[in-house]
Amino acid sequence: MPTSLVTGGAGFLGSHVAEELLARGHRVVVLDDLSGGFADHVPASAELVVGSILDAALVETLFARHRFDHVFHLAAYAAEGLSHFIRRFNYDNNLVGSVQLINQAVRSKVRTFVFTSSIAVYGRNQLPMHEDTPPCPEDPYGIAKYAVELDLKAAHELFGLDWIIFRPHNVYGERQNIGDRYRNVVGIFMNQILAGEPLTVFGDGEQTRAFSHVADVAPVIARSVDVPAAKNRVFNVGADQPVTVNELLRVVAAEFAVTPTVSYLPARNEVVHAWADHGRVREVFGTAEPVGLEEGIRRMAAWVRQHGARATPRFEALEITENLPPAWR
């Protein structure tokens, strides 16, 4: 029975990956500081360790105790737009913490290090985003993710650490924290509907994204360590069909049977159009019928109706306030 560490396993995507690993016969240890996740998201059969990847002593102890076969690193503070204003926090959590895990993986002779990066590494005007497209990230979040990718490749060259990198995008679904005001537009819309508030859109709403249901992402990540052709390769993973934020808004509102009031806010400094090519992941992992947007929203809405919102506190440790969007003040 392989033993796997899942960082961020109390969070949205991480908890689904942990669940998939258990179903595949892994013993799973979850490391999560619960800053963005919830203990009740962790599958009952997994061991939850509450702590931070920045705690070097804790990380070293866990690796020594469990002798992990695989590491699935999903812990991150993934607010791309906010990362401009929390640069040190972003690099500490998303880069320095990742490097501590890589160090221990090398020392412990981990078989595979699976890292969830992001299509934020591509930047703008590179459509469709393909794994061979030269990365050109435009925000500190994307820069940190790409730096970890480079560090993994260097660790493989010198120490033989095998890695698999996934670049998911705009993942949504059950267990997503809909109370987070800084990220995950699907959850933000649902939370605003529950609260009877106007739906807020940055810019004119014509920016496009391919929204990916978690069921199309988590199983691929979990089984990747059992696919030899996946080793030391980068994969885009997610939905193919881009839609505008305005189109997404209409789908969410229809599912909740409301006629929304929409508040259009000043545009943020963000990539306007972003979607990816998924030919490589299909070639290596095979094809599966994707969850369509309407069906995915229906599944998530059913979970939201059952569990309700979970508010996330306003981020108080802003490092820069110049040009901060007024909605985030």
Side-chain angles (χ1 to χ4, degrees):
M1 175 185 292
T3 300
S4 293
L5 173 67
V6 180
T7 68
F12 164 50
L13 181 55
S15 67
H16 284 273
V17 170
E19 190 173 68
E20 293 287 338
L21 288 169
L22 289 165
R24 296 183 65 82
H26 291 236
R27 188 170 73 88
V28 174
V29 178
V30 166
L31 174 61
D32 199 300
D33 65 3
L34 303 183
S35 61
F38 303 91
D40 59 1
H41 286 180
V42 178
S45 299
E47 176 186 344
L48 171 62
V49 177
V50 178
S52 171
I53 61 173
L54 289 170
D55 185 339
L58 173 61
V59 171
E60 183 175 1
T61 297
L62 285 177
F63 275 81
R65 179 184 302 157
H66 296 284
R67 309 301 300 179
F68 297 114
D69 297 289
H70 309 291
V71 172
F72 292 80
H73 178 30
L74 294 98
Y77 191 76
E80 293 176 40
L82 189 64
S83 69
H84 291 285
F85 308 97
I86 53 171
R87 310 176 86 85
R88 184 182 66 249
F89 180 90
N90 167 75
Y91 291 121
D92 280 346
N93 283 270
N94 297 341
L95 177 54
V96 175
S98 300
V99 170
Q100 290 197 146
L101 292 169
I102 294 171
N103 280 345
Q104 290 302 326
V106 169
R107 293 170 183 159
S108 302
K109 307 299 182 186
V110 162
R111 289 161 52 191
T112 322
F113 193 108
V114 181
F115 175 55
T116 53
S117 184
S118 169
I119 66 166
V121 303
Y122 293 114
R124 68 182 74 218
N125 301 326
Q126 304 202 73
L127 300 174
M129 297 168 172
H130 188 277
E131 292 92 344
D132 292 330
T133 302
C136 188
E138 295 198 341
D139 55 68
Y141 173 73
I143 292 168
K145 286 290 189 180
Y146 187 46
V148 177
E149 291 190 16
L150 294 175
D151 194 77
L152 278 171
K153 294 172 184 178
H156 172 73
E157 290 300 318
L158 190 58
F159 305 114
L161 175 65
D162 283 335
W163 51 265
I164 304 169
I165 291 169
F166 288 97
R167 293 171 177 167
H169 50 96
N170 301 101
V171 185
Y172 70 97
E174 303 87 312
R175 299 187 206 137
Q176 192 166 65
N177 180 7
I178 70 170
D180 193 325
R181 71 183 69 216
Y182 302 108
R183 50 185 170 171
N184 307 322
V185 64
V186 177
I188 289 172
F189 284 162
M190 290 188 180
N191 198 45
Q192 290 171 333
I193 288 172
L194 289 180
E197 298 172 351
L199 306 192
T200 53
V201 175
F202 289 101
D204 61 6
E206 290 303 297
Q207 59 268 46
T208 53
R209 299 290 187 270
F211 295 96
S212 311
H213 189 267
V214 67
D216 293 331
V217 178
V220 177
I221 295 174
R223 71 185 179 95
S224 64
V225 295
D226 298 319
V227 180
K231 295 292 179 67
N232 305 310
R233 300 185 73 183
V234 178
F235 298 93
N236 295 330
V237 60
D240 292 306
Q241 185 59 47
V243 300
T244 67
V245 171
N246 287 327
E247 289 172 313
L248 171 70
L249 185 153
R250 287 190 285 269
V251 172
V252 174
E255 174 59 36
F256 283 87
V258 299
T259 301
T261 300
V262 184
S263 175
Y264 288 95
L265 305 175
R268 298 186 319 196
N269 179 22
E270 64 179 353
V271 174
V272 178
H273 302 293
W275 67 87
D277 176 270
H278 301 105
R280 180 180 295 179
V281 77
R282 289 195 185 94
E283 174 190 343
V284 173
F285 293 94
T287 58
E289 186 65 27
V291 177
L293 182 62
E294 289 80 5
E295 170 63 16
I297 294 297
R298 185 194 66 77
R299 294 185 192 182
M300 181 174 173
W303 182 86
V304 165
R305 291 187 183 100
Q306 181 179 357
H307 293 271
R310 277 172 150 161
T312 296
R314 188 180 298 275
F315 197 98
E316 299 292 348
L318 295 172
E319 299 159 21
I320 299 174
T321 57
E322 183 178 350
N323 296 328
L324 184 72
W328 289 348
R329 292 186 183 277

